[in-house]
Amino acid sequence: MSMQQFQEFYRRIAGTSHSHWLEVLPAQLADWQGQNKADLEKWQKLLAKLPATSSADVDLLSQVRIGSAADINDYTQKQIIGLLQQFKPWRKGPFHLHGIHLDTEWRSDWKWDRVLPHLSPLAGRSVLDVGCGSGYHLWRMRGQGAELVVGVDPYPLFLMQFLIMQHFIQDQQVFQLPLGIEALPALNSFDTVFSMGVLYHRKSPLDFLQQLKSLLRKGGELVLETLVVEGDEHQVFLPGERYAQMRNVWFIPSVKALESWLQRLGFKHIRTVDVSTTSVDEQRSTQWMTTHSLKDFLDPEDPSKTIEGYPAPVRAVTIATA
């Protein structure tokens, strides 16, 4: 199924402003499939068991919902639930699939509600989401009328989760590719590039921001969501080995420092449109993600601090023009 999706993507971008991506992309994806052959064979056998369903009632505007429980019988619903459970943990969502509430670790819809009012309209745009996870936000972008929606994320499980939803939605304008940003050439072609929850995982944040800029056409819009700390334009926090139990957290800037970085790299019209403390209602354990979550990573005596004693997670949304 993944190979078929890749071929469809090649056809979709041929002859467009993104076509020069085809100079490197097929070889990259062939290499990825070779490296992940065993896992892909196992997962594709499971994907092939997904039942065919039909519903004209798909809502991508206010949520990600495909049909209702009335579309399928009890046996089919149990069959789908059993298959979905083979692809845990489900971290980004939620999804509503024929009456099945796939209650993910993150209420990614809350993040979308914070971002959406500040975006340039997505209708007719080509959109790229760097670090898209299971692809939840890709569907919400399509719900806003984006003409081409592409997500990239290197983790194979996230691609499989996306393909499950694509099996039921079947929207040929939405694609996900198993790539990290370091594999992307300077495309200079997307109207809007999203990066939500990635910057602090990069050892070189300015290089990462420059890469994001190289994916945008001139005048295109960057939508950046990331952890921030309090402070002036010189304040950047580098935690120890772990931050909120995450090992791969590097630089967490203040809002003013982040805006200064973007200005230094040549972005324009820079504005931070939201700053929010992450709550244990927004990120939590569920039956679809049963291991520890945010409440386990905060100081039980003082939830304004992480278990390591650092400031608890606060996230900002900053928008800028290339």
Side-chain angles (χ1 to χ4, degrees):
M1 188 181 288
S2 56
M3 175 63 85
Q4 179 184 349
Q5 190 214 201
F6 299 159
Q7 295 294 338
E8 290 171 357
F9 183 66
Y10 302 156
R11 287 192 290 271
R12 177 63 180 80
I13 66 171
T16 73
S17 60
H18 313 294
S19 61
H20 53 300
W21 201 352
L22 295 172
E23 295 170 10
V24 297
L25 186 58
Q28 289 174 326
L29 294 179
D31 183 57
W32 176 84
Q33 289 187 107
Q35 292 178 16
N36 293 279
K37 185 177 180 184
D39 281 340
L40 288 177
E41 287 177 353
K42 174 187 71 175
W43 280 330
Q44 287 182 311
K45 287 177 182 176
L46 291 171
L47 290 175
K49 295 179 180 179
L50 289 169
T53 64
S54 179
S55 177
D57 183 18
V58 175
D59 179 10
L60 303 179
L61 183 61
S62 63
Q63 57 189 322
V64 181
R65 180 178 56 77
I66 303 100
S68 68
D71 299 326
I72 57 176
N73 58 35
D74 289 346
Y75 173 80
T76 302
Q77 187 179 79
K78 289 175 182 175
Q79 182 186 13
I80 294 172
I81 291 172
L83 289 166
L84 293 175
Q85 288 173 339
Q86 300 299 309
F87 292 89
K88 292 194 300 187
W90 288 82
R91 297 192 178 276
K92 303 295 176 68
F95 301 96
H96 302 272
L97 180 57
H98 294 303
I100 301 163
H101 179 204
L102 218 167
D103 187 18
T104 50
E105 177 188 14
W106 279 90
R107 290 296 306 265
S108 304
D109 50 337
W110 293 6
K111 181 180 293 189
W112 185 247
D113 289 344
R114 292 195 294 267
V115 169
L116 180 60
H118 308 288
L119 302 178
S120 295
L122 296 182
R125 287 197 166 212
S126 64
V127 178
L128 177 67
D129 186 1
V130 176
C132 63
S134 65
Y136 173 82
H137 289 122
L138 303 181
W139 301 114
R140 301 303 302 272
M141 295 166 194
R142 179 61 173 152
Q144 290 295 317
E147 183 176 311
L148 174 67
V149 182
V150 185
V152 294
D153 200 295
Y155 295 103
L157 177 63
F158 294 151
L159 176 62
M160 299 305 120
Q161 292 172 344
F162 167 81
L163 290 174
I164 289 170
M165 294 304 151
Q166 181 65 282
H167 169 84
F168 292 103
I169 298 173
Q170 296 189 17
D171 189 318
Q172 299 311 309
Q173 305 302 322
V174 185
F175 299 89
Q176 184 160 323
L177 306 174
L179 300 171
I181 191 171
E182 60 279 353
L184 304 187
L187 296 167
N188 300 117
S189 59
F190 281 94
D191 298 310
T192 308
V193 169
F194 290 82
S195 172
M196 298 193 282
V198 181
L199 179 67
Y200 48 89
H201 292 313
R202 309 301 295 188
K203 291 182 182 179
S204 181
L206 270 73
D207 286 343
F208 176 70
L209 293 172
Q210 184 64 52
Q211 287 173 305
L212 293 175
K213 188 182 181 192
S214 77
L215 299 168
L216 283 160
R217 64 166 173 79
K218 187 169 180 59
E221 186 165 86
L222 174 67
V223 183
L224 185 70
E225 191 262 10
T226 189
L227 292 173
V228 292
V229 292
E230 291 186 2
D232 62 17
E233 64 271 24
H234 305 295
Q235 183 68 44
V236 180
F237 172 53
L238 176 64
E241 185 178 351
R242 288 176 182 254
Y243 171 83
Q245 289 297 287
M246 293 185 285
R247 291 184 182 275
N248 59 340
V249 174
W250 295 90
F251 296 93
I252 306 178
S254 68
V255 167
K256 289 183 178 179
L258 176 60
E259 292 177 348
S260 175
W261 291 352
L262 291 167
Q263 184 176 27
R264 185 76 183 271
L265 292 171
F267 283 95
K268 300 178 175 59
H269 309 300
I270 302 160
R271 61 230 186 255
T272 297
V273 297
D274 184 84
V275 178
S276 300
T277 300
T278 305
S279 75
V280 294
D281 294 320
E282 184 172 357
Q283 183 190 8
R284 71 273 192 264
S285 302
T286 73
Q287 63 176 326
W288 295 96
M289 204 299 294
T290 55
T291 55
H292 289 169
S293 191
L294 181 59
K295 73 178 179 61
D296 306 294
F297 308 148
L298 298 178
D299 184 334
E301 304 298 325
D302 182 2
S304 71
K305 293 184 171 60
T306 69
I307 202 165
E308 302 88 0
Y310 301 132
V314 173
R315 293 174 175 270
V317 178
T318 301
I319 296 177
T321 303

